[in-house]
Amino acid sequence: MKSNTPVQKDSRALRFGIISRPLPIQWKWIAAILFPTILVLLLIGGLIFQTAQIRHFLFIAFGIALFGTVFLSYLLSKRLVVPLLQMTEAAQKIARGNFRHRVRIRSGDEMEALADALNRMAEDLQRQIQDLSDDRAKTLAILSGMAEGVLVLDDKGRIVLTNTSFERMFGLSGDPWIGRYHYERLRHHPLNALIKEVIQTGKPLSQEVRLETAHRPHLQVQASVTEQTPRSVVLVFHDITEIKRLERMRKDFVANVSHELRTPLAAIKGYLETLADGGLENREEAKEFLAILQKNTDRMANIVRDLLQLSRIESGLDPIRPARIDLREAVDKNLLLLKPLAEKKGQTLTVSIEPGLSLSADPEKLNQVFINLLDNAIKYTPEKGTIAVTASGTGEGVAIEIRDSGIGIPREDLGRIFERFYRVDRTRSRELGGTGLGLSIVKHIIEAHGGKITVESEIGKGSRFILFLPNQTPAGAVGASL
C-alpha cells in the first residue's frame, strides 16, 4: 500500500478545514503575554526599590502598562467574541434549516479558517438536503402516478410508506396509519398472514386477496423483502377486478354459446333421426317436424349472425359511418315495420319528438338499435299495453327514451341485462325467439357512437331505456368491448 505524501495530507486537511495555511506569527498574542509580564515586573520593581523618584517612575509606568493591558484585553476580547457570536448565529440558522447564511470573517487567523469550514459545511448540507428532497419528490411523484397500490413496512411490520392508490383501495385516506403496525390498520387475516410469513422467511410471495369493501376489489399482492439493512417489506397491489370480471364473462360466454347452440342442435338431430326412421311416411307429422327443424335452424342462424355482428363491431371491421339523420323519420320507419306485431296484441304506440330534431349517426346501425329496443318492448308488454318513444335535444346531443308498460326487470338483474346471452327469464325469452344478444349489440352500437345507454325498471310497471347520442360522432369509431 502506498503511503500518503505530505501534499496529499495537506490537501485533505484543507478540504475538511483542519488547516487553511501555515500559521503566521501572531503579534497580538505576544503582546497579550508581554504587557501583563511588564506590569508584574514593574509592580515588583516598585516594591523593591526604595528611592522615591524611582518608585514614582515605576508607579507611572505601572499605570501606563495597566491601561495598555486593559485596552489590549478589550481589543482581543472583541476580536474573539464577535467572530464567535457570528459563528454561533450561523450554526443556529443552519440548525433551523437556513443554509444560505454565511459567516464573513477576514482575520487571517484560525477564526477565518473555522468560519470557512462552517461555510463549506453549510454548502455541503444544503446540496445534500436538496438532493434528498429532489429524490423524495421524484419517488412520491412516481408512487402517486402508479395505478398499483404500494405499501412499505419496516422489519417489525410498522407502516413506513404508502401511495394514493393503496389508500384508495383500502379506504385509509385521512387516517393516521404511518408508524402503526400493519395488523392494526389492515383488518384482513389472509393479507396479514402473508406479511408475517414474508417477514419471517424473507422470501418473496404472491397471493390473490378479496377486500371486504363496498365494491369488493380483487387484488393480486406481490410481497418482497429488500436486501439492505435494516430490511423493509414492499407490497405491490394490482387491482385485477376487471380481469376477473372479463374472465367470468368469457367463461359465461363459452358456456352460454354452448348451451344456446346445444338446444337447437339437439332438436334438429332428434327430429332428423325421427324422419330418417320412417317419419316421412306420415305427411302431417313430417310437415310439423320440418317446421320445427326450420325454427331451430333459424334460431341457430340468428345466434351466429348476432355473434358475427358483435365480433365485427368490437374488432373494428364494421366502423361507424355517420350521416345526418332526421330522428322522427328514422323512428317512424322502424315503427312501421313493427306495427303489425303491436296491433296484434292491441298495444298503443306513441311518438313525441321535437320537430326538425336530427343527429349524426350511422343510419343502418341506428335502425338496429330501434328495432331491438322496440321489438323487446312489444314482446315483453302484455296485451293492451302502451309503448312510447320520446326524444329531445340537449346542448351536447340528443336524449331518446323508449318506455313501455311491460312486465319489468328485477332490480338485481338491471346491471347485467347488456351482457351477452343474459336473460331475466330464459324460458320466456326462447319462446319469444330472442337470442340473448340484442341488448349487447345495442350497447355496443351506442358506445361506438360515443353515447351511453341506461335502463330503469320496476316489476309489473314497465321499463325505460334512456339513450344519449352526442351531436358529433367521429367517423370510423368502433365499439368498446364489454
Side-chain angles (χ1 to χ4, degrees):
M1 182 180 294
K2 296 182 179 180
S3 60
N4 294 327
T5 63
V7 175
Q8 291 174 327
K9 294 180 180 178
D10 290 343
S11 64
R12 286 200 301 270
L14 285 170
R15 190 188 320 136
F16 293 102
I18 298 174
I19 59 173
S20 58
R21 60 187 64 82
L23 295 178
I25 299 174
Q26 302 294 325
W27 294 106
K28 57 181 178 292
W29 301 111
I30 296 174
I33 298 173
L34 185 60
F35 269 95
T37 304
I38 295 173
L39 185 63
V40 172
L41 292 175
L42 288 174
L43 181 60
I44 295 173
L47 295 175
I48 295 175
F49 293 100
Q50 299 299 322
T51 306
Q53 186 176 3
I54 295 175
R55 182 180 295 177
H56 181 70
F57 172 76
L58 291 175
F59 276 113
I60 292 175
F62 176 78
I64 294 172
L66 179 63
F67 176 78
T69 302
V70 172
F71 181 72
L72 182 60
S73 300
Y74 170 75
L75 291 179
L76 289 175
S77 64
K78 184 177 181 181
R79 196 173 183 84
L80 287 172
V81 170
V82 171
L84 287 175
L85 290 176
Q86 291 181 10
M87 286 187 283
T88 301
E89 180 184 4
Q92 292 174 346
K93 289 184 177 180
I94 292 174
R96 290 194 295 267
N98 182 7
F99 300 103
R100 298 183 180 276
H101 184 75
R102 296 292 180 266
V103 182
R104 307 298 180 187
I105 298 177
R106 295 293 179 264
S107 61
D109 56 6
E110 292 80 1
M111 287 295 179
E112 182 178 347
L114 182 60
D116 291 342
L118 186 63
N119 290 336
R120 287 195 299 273
M121 182 188 71
E123 292 174 359
D124 292 342
L125 284 175
Q126 183 180 10
R127 183 171 57 256
Q128 292 174 9
I129 290 177
Q130 185 62 44
D131 292 342
L132 290 174
S133 298
D134 292 342
D135 291 342
R136 177 177 175 82
K138 292 176 183 177
T139 301
L140 291 177
I142 293 172
L143 290 176
S144 299
M146 290 178 62
E148 295 79 9
V150 177
L151 171 65
V152 181
L153 308 172
D154 62 15
D155 56 352
K156 303 297 182 183
R158 289 186 291 260
I159 300 176
V160 176
L161 179 68
T162 62
N163 70 341
T164 305
S165 296
F166 171 82
E167 297 165 12
R168 183 174 60 252
M169 289 176 182
F170 287 82
L172 295 176
S173 179
D175 292 342
W177 61 86
I178 303 299
R180 303 279 293 276
Y181 286 97
H182 64 88
Y183 50 79
E184 295 179 341
R185 302 303 299 142
L186 306 178
R187 303 302 176 89
H188 195 284
H189 179 70
L191 180 57
N192 288 326
L194 172 69
I195 295 173
K196 183 179 179 181
E197 184 177 354
V198 172
I199 293 176
Q200 290 177 348
T201 63
K203 297 180 180 179
L205 294 175
S206 180
Q207 182 176 316
E208 292 184 9
V209 297
R210 191 75 180 269
L211 299 184
E212 298 298 328
T213 57
H215 61 287
R216 289 178 54 81
H218 206 124
L219 306 178
Q220 176 73 36
V221 186
Q222 293 178 328
S224 59
V225 179
T226 59
E227 296 181 356
Q228 69 268 21
T229 304
R231 298 191 309 170
S232 298
V233 180
V234 181
L235 294 97
V236 181
F237 298 82
H238 303 269
D239 191 344
I240 58 174
T241 307
E242 183 65 15
I243 295 175
K244 289 294 183 180
R245 187 184 73 86
L246 293 175
E247 286 182 357
R248 177 179 56 81
M249 289 183 61
R250 178 181 59 80
K251 292 177 181 178
D252 291 346
F253 174 74
V254 173
N256 286 329
V257 169
S258 301
H259 180 74
E260 295 294 334
L261 293 178
R262 184 173 64 246
T263 301
L265 281 174
I268 292 172
K269 182 179 179 181
Y271 283 105
L272 285 175
E273 289 177 351
T274 302
L275 290 173
D277 290 340
L280 291 173
E281 297 176 0
N282 189 333
R283 296 183 60 84
E284 294 299 326
E285 286 186 357
K287 289 182 179 180
E288 182 181 351
F289 291 165
L290 289 174
I292 296 174
L293 288 171
Q294 183 177 2
K295 179 181 177 181
N296 283 277
T297 303
D298 291 341
R299 175 172 172 73
M300 289 182 60
N302 291 335
I303 292 174
V304 173
R305 180 202 62 203
D306 289 347
L307 284 173
L308 289 174
Q309 184 176 9
L310 275 174
S311 177
R312 289 177 61 83
I313 294 174
E314 289 179 352
S315 62
L317 298 176
D318 191 13
I320 298 299
R321 299 175 178 84
R324 207 67 196 172
I325 299 173
D326 184 282
L327 187 57
R328 181 60 186 257
E329 290 182 4
V331 172
D332 287 343
K333 180 174 64 175
N334 289 283
L335 282 177
L336 187 62
L337 296 174
L338 298 172
K339 190 174 181 180
L341 296 177
E343 290 178 346
K344 187 177 180 180
K345 299 178 69 174
Q347 296 170 341
T348 303
L349 301 177
T350 61
V351 180
S352 176
I353 298 177
E354 293 179 4
L357 186 61
S358 64
L359 73 160
S360 175
D362 187 312
E364 181 181 349
K365 292 180 175 56
L366 189 63
N367 288 337
Q368 288 181 288
V369 170
F370 288 139
I371 288 291
N372 273 302
L373 293 179
L374 292 171
D375 184 55
N376 280 348
I378 293 172
K379 286 178 179 177
Y380 295 102
T381 298
E383 295 181 357
K384 309 299 181 180
T386 59
I387 299 166
V389 181
T390 60
S392 60
T394 66
E396 299 178 351
V398 177
I400 306 170
E401 179 181 308
I402 298 177
R403 184 176 65 253
D404 63 62
S405 59
I407 59 177
I409 304 169
R411 184 182 299 274
E412 60 271 17
D413 294 313
L414 288 177
R416 300 192 61 186
I417 62 171
F418 293 106
E419 295 180 11
R420 301 174 181 88
F421 295 113
Y422 187 82
R423 295 185 178 92
V424 177
D425 187 341
R426 292 183 177 273
T427 303
R428 183 182 178 91
S429 177
R430 290 194 186 95
E431 290 176 354
L432 295 174
T435 64
L437 296 170
L439 291 180
S440 182
I441 293 174
V442 167
K443 183 172 183 178
H444 273 72
I445 293 175
I446 295 298
E447 290 181 349
H449 282 79
K452 61 181 180 180
I453 180 171
T454 57
V455 60
E456 299 175 0
S457 185
E458 189 175 348
I459 293 295
K461 295 185 178 180
S463 304
R464 293 173 62 234
F465 285 85
I466 303 100
L467 290 71
F468 175 79
L469 292 170
N471 287 323
Q472 296 295 330
T473 299
V478 296
S481 178
L482 284 176

